[in-house]
């Protein structure tokens, strides 16, 4: 298999808007690896090509996330068919999940899916995500669940997945992992950071073997407003530039 560093640059072959989306998506893949959320090559993040409703960027199947660059990302149509030459294939399970969300939610431009240990552990618990931490309060304002149907390879699952997701931006895929989505790569990434942190805290709290204190629903109901106040109205854009600076120091080259 080719070395990703040998992939020719596509910067001059795409619009400036698509290139910016490619850089942000490649950064998200590198950050997932940096935070230890990757599962070899078996999870995925996608982004809608700006100005092209039915075109998407997704990872080249077989590359580790710390190897992915803006130029190595694969552009596909809504059937998962590559639209530009690439030496790499597309993960079929990855695109079933992502195409379903993108088609059903036109305002969603990025979808992020993980199989982390803590995320899968919580997804296997009958009670799901519990209101036991400040971190859990944010996703619990708008959290969905989808029952496990095996590896996501069948188009028939799409309708059930998007029906379960509804208008939520965070989802627990039962016995499988976590999914977040947003208007931007930054939005989807920050949502995943918060959801993953809430799952880690839950597993750690439960390991103590003592009763847990639940946050009242009346407080959970206000967490959306609290999040807007804390972020000064900037949302994920408050932290995204800092995350890119961290990446530039620790794993540069994603923007090639």
């Amino acid at each position: 298999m080719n070395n990703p560093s040998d992939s020719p640059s596509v910067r001059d072959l795409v619009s400036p808007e698509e290139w910016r989306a490619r850089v942000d998506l490649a950064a998200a893949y590198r950050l997932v690896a940096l935070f230890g959320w990757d599962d070899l090559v078996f999870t995925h993040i996608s982004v809608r090509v700006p100005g092209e409703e039915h075109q998407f960027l997704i990872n080249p199947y077989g590359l580790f996330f710390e190897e992915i660059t803006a130029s190595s990302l694969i552009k596909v149509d809504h059937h998962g068919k590559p639209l530009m030459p690439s030496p790499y294939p597309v993960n079929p399970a990855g695109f079933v999940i992502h195409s379903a969300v993108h088609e059903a939610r036109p305002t969603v431009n990025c979808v992020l899916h993980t199989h982390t240990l803590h995320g899968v552990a919580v997804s296997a618990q009958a009670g799901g995500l519990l209101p036991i931490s400040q971190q859990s309060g944010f996703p619990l304002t708008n959290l969905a669940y989808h029952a496990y149907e095996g590896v996501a390879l069948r188009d028939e699952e799409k309708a059930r997945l998007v029906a379960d997701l509804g208008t939520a931006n965070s989802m627990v895929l039962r016995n499988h992992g976590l999914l977040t989505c947003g208007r931007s790569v930054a939005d989807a990434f920050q949502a995943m950071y918060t959801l993953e942190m809430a799952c880690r805290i839950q597993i750690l709290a439960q390991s103590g073997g003592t009763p847990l204190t639940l946050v009242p629903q009346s407080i959970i109901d206000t967490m959306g407003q609290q999040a807007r106040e804390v972020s000064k109205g900037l949302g994920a854009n408050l932290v995204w530039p800092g995350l890119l600076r961290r990446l530039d120091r620790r794993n540069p080259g994603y923007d090639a």
Side-chain angles (χ1 to χ4, degrees):
M1 185 169 284
N2 294 348
N3 188 314
S5 63
D6 296 334
S7 298
S9 175
V10 301
R11 184 168 189 168
D12 295 334
L13 303 178
V14 302
S15 69
E17 294 78 14
E18 179 178 331
W19 182 251
R20 182 68 257 172
R22 283 176 171 270
V23 170
D24 279 347
L25 181 57
Y29 276 105
R30 298 285 187 102
L31 286 165
V32 164
L34 187 63
F35 281 94
W37 302 343
D38 49 343
D39 177 19
L40 295 179
V41 300
F42 297 111
T43 55
H44 18 264
I45 319 168
S46 65
V47 70
R48 195 187 305 270
V49 175
E52 299 291 346
E53 182 180 357
H54 300 298
Q55 295 182 10
F56 312 93
L57 301 171
I58 199 164
N59 56 309
Y61 197 32
L63 292 189
F64 286 92
F65 286 10
E66 65 265 25
E67 299 178 306
I68 290 176
T69 65
S71 292
S72 66
L73 291 164
I74 300 179
K75 180 158 58 174
V76 299
D77 64 17
H78 63 286
H79 296 299
K81 179 181 177 182
L83 298 174
M84 294 175 66
S86 173
Y88 304 101
V90 174
N91 180 352
F95 198 69
V96 166
I97 292 172
H98 289 249
S99 64
V101 178
H102 283 298
E103 289 175 16
R105 301 273 297 275
T107 60
V108 164
N109 292 314
C110 182
V111 180
L112 199 165
H113 171 46
T114 62
H115 299 156
T116 64
L117 296 179
H118 298 93
V120 176
V122 169
S123 79
Q125 295 183 349
L129 186 66
L130 302 176
I132 60 171
S133 67
Q134 178 169 279
Q135 287 79 1
S136 69
F138 298 114
L140 282 172
T141 63
N142 194 18
L143 182 65
Y145 292 84
H146 176 62
Y148 186 61
E149 299 187 25
V151 177
L153 295 171
R154 297 170 295 280
D155 283 341
E156 310 89 78
E157 186 177 356
K158 287 183 176 183
R160 293 183 290 274
L161 188 148
V162 299
D164 289 337
L165 180 63
T167 61
N169 289 326
S170 297
M171 173 179 266
V172 173
L173 301 167
R174 291 290 192 183
N175 310 101
H176 184 173
L178 307 176
L179 182 146
T180 59
C181 58
R183 290 180 177 271
S184 67
V185 173
D187 287 342
F189 187 88
Q190 180 165 298
M192 182 59 74
Y193 179 89
T194 307
L195 183 57
E196 169 65 19
M197 185 67 70
C199 290
R200 291 181 65 187
I201 291 169
Q202 179 166 320
I203 298 302
L204 286 170
Q206 290 171 325
S207 69
T210 62
L212 303 177
T213 301
L214 303 184
V215 177
Q217 185 61 45
S218 60
I219 294 179
I220 298 296
D221 292 340
T222 69
M223 294 299 283
Q225 177 59 34
Q226 292 182 51
R228 288 187 288 274
E229 292 178 10
V230 168
S231 68
K232 303 298 183 182
L234 295 174
N237 291 325
L238 181 67
V239 299
W240 187 246
L243 286 168
L244 296 184
R245 290 192 296 272
R246 177 185 291 188
L247 193 57
D248 285 333
R249 292 194 300 270
R250 299 189 182 183
N251 190 3
Y254 62 91
D255 53 349

